[in-house]
């Protein structure tokens, strides 16, 4: 039976039907399942400017399969445009706004099923969180990735653009070349073309079983993306008929599958924020330590930008996420019995999905490394955990020890880097940028890109209680927990203190005597910021980065 019958049927609900008629809906439409299409379309996010076309294709698919499609919106912040200023404080926090508002719209209006149409960083996890809460039959179809740019005969992307600014500031790039990057790095609509956070989460939606094959990789400008959207609209009606719901699909084993695929793909470190938060909404608690357990047995098969010189279009042509999963299944690294939105199991979905390009997707017996792309580090600086994209770290920086260069905000660090005040061997420390201290846990893409662009990537590390864009590469350790604002040891680090980072051994340590640390702590009062509005409420409720920055 349609759950919307509680709104659309019976004499008692005649006033409700009157309002539906005010929308122009017919009696025939009201007798069909009401399918909410959650559209993240707007005109400010390049990854979302094509979503109106995707939504229209979904509408057609739903209608062809016997449903009544009804569209409502979700907000989106472009992380690239928000980067490096106060706007980035409003990026991560939108994940919960998106989840809350979608839950409110879906339950207030009694939808029978949902199709989520996100694309960029916070929309995908926010809508996955909402799907778990609402728990009506739901499918995801994203807007798709951007095609790679081309500069001087080579493919390029947004991460190259940010690093070009660092090269420009170091005098290694002139105005003309910087302008060429500016005009060519992002040539089409879509989520930026490397394995950054948006593409990571769209790929992991396939791994979770919540999206159809190709959801993470078919380029935004390909007509195949519109076909995928129509199929998603049709598929959600099958989910409704079979009463297959998100919590039937997003089980603990499905979350573990997503973590495993994450390691193989070399996804953004932000997945270590979002997967725990999604699991939490499903009633599943996962500890960051499980990431290292999975990483220890999962080979890293892909080096997409920023880790390497391949892009999302290359992954798509090589067979996409299913081809990666097919490789992983050869060593029984996946729970292949998990149910998916196709109505079939993971094993049934990936059968015969061969790897078509071993240069893009390494075979399981010839990986880039025997361990996964992400590592969780612990030690006295991060007793509750910290995260690094190991697959994007140069080999010579996997183990590093050097003096701390301490900054209490991103802007101060950026100024010092631009002024040439950071020397080879240094460990840049950026604190009071965590979920509470920022608030909002800003991404440190500008400082990390400047370090790489200035040629310091092989000799300088950066640690922060903030986080990183998926476009970051290098020895960059984020999500330091507890954060400075919560009294974490990172708040007690002083200029010149020696910090030791050992990524293969999963450790991060402040090399200062315990007695000295105890003396510093006696006089330590975490800095507080004057806050208003949503950020004030967010800072009061948010947990640490190690637990997914969920709201308590």
């Amino acid at each position: 039976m349609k759950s919307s019958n509680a709104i659309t049927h019976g004499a008692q609900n005649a006033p409700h039907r009157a309002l539906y008629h005010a929308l122009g809906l017919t009696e025939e439409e009201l007798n069909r399942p009401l399918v909410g299409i959650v559209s993240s379309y707007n005109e400010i996010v390049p990854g979302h400017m094509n979503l109106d076309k995707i939504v229209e294709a979904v509408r057609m698919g739903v209608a062809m399969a016997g449903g009544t499609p009804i569209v409502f919106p979700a907000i989106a912040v472009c992380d690239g445009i928000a980067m490096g200023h106060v706007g980035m404080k409003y990026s991560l926090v939108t994940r919960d706004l998106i989840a809350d508002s979608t839950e409110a719209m879906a339950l207030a209006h009694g939808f029978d099923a949902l199709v989520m149409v996100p694309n960029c960083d916070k929309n995908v996890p926010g809508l996955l969180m909402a799907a778990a809460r609402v728990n009506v039959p739901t499918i995801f179809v994203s807007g798709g990735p951007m095609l790679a740019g081309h500069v001087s005969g080579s493919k390029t992307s947004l991460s190259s653009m940010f690093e070009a600014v660092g090269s420009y500031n170091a005098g290694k790039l002139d105005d003309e070349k910087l302008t060429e990057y500016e005009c060519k790095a992002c040539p089409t609509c879509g989520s930026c073309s490397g394995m950054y956070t948006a593409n990571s989460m769209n790929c992991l939606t396939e791994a979770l079983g919540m999206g159809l094959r190709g959801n993470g990789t078919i380029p935004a400008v390909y007509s195949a993306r519109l076909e995928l959207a129509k199929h998603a609209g049709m598929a959600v009606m099958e989910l409704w008929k079979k009463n297959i719901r998100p919590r039937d699909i997003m089980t603990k084993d499905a979350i573990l599958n997503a973590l495993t695929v994450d390691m193989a793909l070399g996804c953004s470190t932000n997945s270590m924020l979002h997967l725990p938060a999604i699991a939490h909404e499903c009633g599943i608690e996962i500890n960051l330590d499980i990431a290292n357990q999975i990483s220890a047995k999962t080979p890293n098969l892909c080096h997409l930008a920023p880790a390497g010189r391949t892009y999302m279009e290359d992954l798509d042509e090589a067979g996409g996420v299913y081809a990666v999963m097919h490789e992983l299944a050869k060593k029984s690294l996946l729970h292949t019995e998990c149910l998916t939105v196709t109505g079939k199991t993971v094993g049934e979905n990936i059968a015969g999905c061969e790897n078509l390009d071993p240069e893009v997707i390494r075979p399981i017996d010839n990986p880039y490394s025997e361990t996964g792309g992400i590592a969780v580090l612990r030690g006295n600086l991060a007793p509750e955990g910290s995260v690094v994209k190991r697959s994007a770290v140069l080999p010579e920086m996997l183990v590093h020890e050097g003096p701390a260069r301490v900054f209490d905000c991103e802007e101060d660090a950026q100024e010092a880097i631009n002024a040439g005040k950071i020397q080879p061997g240094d460990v840049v420390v950026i604190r009071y940028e965590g979920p509470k201290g920022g608030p909002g846990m800003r991404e440190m893409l500008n400082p990390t890109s400047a370090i790489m662009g200035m040629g310091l990537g092989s000799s300088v590390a950066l640690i922060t209680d903030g986080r990183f864009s998926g476009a970051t590469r290098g020895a960059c350790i984020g999500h330091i927990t507890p954060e400075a604002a919560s009294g974490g040891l990172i708040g007690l680090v002083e200029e010149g203190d020696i910090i030791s980072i050992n990524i293969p051994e999963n450790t991060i340590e402040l090399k200062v005597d315990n007695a000295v640390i105890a003396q510093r702590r006696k006089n330590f009062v975490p800095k507080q910021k004057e806050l208003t509005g949503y950020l004030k409420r967010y800072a009061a409720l948010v947990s640490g980065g190690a637990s997914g920055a969920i709201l308590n």
Side-chain angles (χ1 to χ4, degrees), residues 304-384:
L304 292 111
R309 296 186 178 277
T310 52
Y311 296 83
M312 296 304 297
E313 62 204 65
D314 303 312
L315 179 60
D316 187 62
E317 291 174 9
V321 176
Y322 275 21
V324 174
M325 295 175 74
H326 189 264
E327 290 290 339
L328 294 170
K330 291 177 181 178
K331 288 196 174 180
S332 302
L333 293 172
L334 296 175
H335 297 277
T336 55
E337 75 287 354
C338 289
L339 185 63
T340 73
V341 289
T342 65
K344 300 177 181 179
T345 65
V346 167
E348 291 172 315
N349 285 345
I350 65 175
C353 295
E354 297 293 338
N355 178 3
L356 304 178
D357 190 339
E359 295 302 313
V360 176
I361 304 170
R362 287 282 185 92
I364 194 74
D365 56 2
N366 183 34
Y368 282 102
S369 66
E370 294 293 341
T371 53
I374 289 178
V376 173
L377 312 186
R378 291 185 186 267
N380 66 352
L381 259 177
E384 295 176 22

Side-chain angles (χ1 to χ4, degrees), residues 137-140 205-206 208-213 231-232 234-246 248-250 322 336-350:
T138 302
I139 194 168
F140 277 66
T205 300
E206 285 191 59
L208 280 169
M210 291 296 293
L212 298 177
R213 182 181 183 183
H231 285 132
M234 290 184 268
V236 80
M237 296 306 299
E238 290 301 311
L239 291 172
W240 176 76
K241 291 173 186 175
K242 296 175 182 176
N243 196 29
I244 297 174
R245 299 170 181 251
D248 300 325
I249 294 171
M250 291 192 289
Y322 275 21
T336 55
E337 75 287 354
C338 289
L339 185 63
T340 73
V341 289
T342 65
K344 300 177 181 179
T345 65
V346 167
E348 291 172 315
N349 285 345
I350 65 175

Side-chain angles (χ1 to χ4, degrees), residues 110-128:
F111 287 106
D112 297 293
L114 296 170
V115 182
M116 307 296 197
V117 188
N119 208 29
C120 290
D121 298 35
K122 308 309 164 302
N123 301 84
V124 185
L127 291 178
L128 283 165

Side-chain angles (χ1 to χ4, degrees), residues 126-435:
L127 291 178
L128 283 165
M129 290 162 66
R133 293 183 195 174
V134 178
N135 203 35
V136 298
T138 302
I139 194 168
F140 277 66
V141 56
S142 76
M146 185 183 291
L147 293 178
H150 291 265
V151 176
S152 301
S154 298
K155 286 185 178 181
T156 190
S157 61
L158 187 64
S159 55
S160 303
M161 180 71 252
F162 274 93
E163 290 180 19
V165 175
S167 297
Y168 177 82
N169 289 334
K172 298 181 178 181
L173 212 65
D174 61 20
D175 290 281
E176 183 179 354
K177 198 66 177 179
L178 185 67
T179 300
E180 183 181 2
Y181 270 98
E182 179 184 333
C183 295
K184 295 181 176 179
C186 299
T188 73
C189 64
S191 47
C192 297
S193 57
M195 188 54 79
Y196 312 143
T197 305
N199 291 326
S200 294
M201 294 309 303
N202 282 322
C203 287
L204 295 185
T205 300
E206 285 191 59
L208 280 169
M210 291 296 293
L212 298 177
R213 182 181 183 183
N215 182 60
T217 59
I218 297 172
V221 295
Y222 283 11
S223 297
R225 176 62 58 177
L226 298 176
E227 295 180 30
L228 180 74
K230 292 174 186 175
H231 285 132
M234 290 184 268
V236 80
M237 296 306 299
E238 290 301 311
L239 291 172
W240 176 76
K241 291 173 186 175
K242 296 175 182 176
N243 196 29
I244 297 174
R245 299 170 181 251
R247 289 188 205 168
D248 300 325
I249 294 171
M250 291 192 289
T251 61
K252 184 173 183 178
D253 284 347
I255 298 289
L256 296 180
N257 279 348
L259 279 166
T260 300
V261 174
D262 183 308
M263 297 298 171
L265 285 171
C267 290
S268 163
T269 52
N270 280 316
S271 60
M272 293 296 104
L273 279 175
H274 300 321
L275 286 175
I278 295 162
H280 177 75
E281 297 293 350
C282 296
I284 302 162
E285 301 303 322
I286 59 173
N287 187 290
L288 272 186
D289 287 337
I290 201 168
N292 283 344
Q293 295 170 26
I294 291 175
S295 180
K297 61 182 181 181
T298 305
N300 177 225
L301 304 182
C302 299
H303 266 193
L304 292 111
R309 296 186 178 277
T310 52
Y311 296 83
M312 296 304 297
E313 62 204 65
D314 303 312
L315 179 60
D316 187 62
E317 291 174 9
V321 176
Y322 275 21
V324 174
M325 295 175 74
H326 189 264
E327 290 290 339
L328 294 170
K330 291 177 181 178
K331 288 196 174 180
S332 302
L333 293 172
L334 296 175
H335 297 277
T336 55
E337 75 287 354
C338 289
L339 185 63
T340 73
V341 289
T342 65
K344 300 177 181 179
T345 65
V346 167
E348 291 172 315
N349 285 345
I350 65 175
C353 295
E354 297 293 338
N355 178 3
L356 304 178
D357 190 339
E359 295 302 313
V360 176
I361 304 170
R362 287 282 185 92
I364 194 74
D365 56 2
N366 183 34
Y368 282 102
S369 66
E370 294 293 341
T371 53
I374 289 178
V376 173
L377 312 186
R378 291 185 186 267
N380 66 352
L381 259 177
E384 295 176 22
S386 62
V387 180
V388 62
K389 188 170 184 174
R390 174 166 47 194
S391 59
V393 179
L394 292 170
E396 58 267 35
M397 289 299 292
L398 289 170
V399 178
H400 181 77
E401 187 168 290
R405 305 299 310 281
V406 184
F407 306 94
D408 286 345
C409 66
E410 177 190 1
E411 288 84 356
D412 290 350
Q414 186 69 45
E415 183 180 346
I417 295 167
N418 289 347
K421 295 180 180 179
I422 303 303
Q423 302 301 316
D426 286 348
V427 178
V428 176
V429 178
I430 306 178
R431 60 194 182 191
Y432 293 103
E433 291 287 7

Side-chain angles (χ1 to χ4, degrees), residues 8-9 17 21 24-32 68:
T8 60
H9 283 62
R17 290 195 297 277
H21 288 306
L25 293 180
T26 65
E27 183 179 349
E28 291 82 0
E29 286 173 301
L30 293 179
N31 285 329
R32 296 176 176 182
T68 298

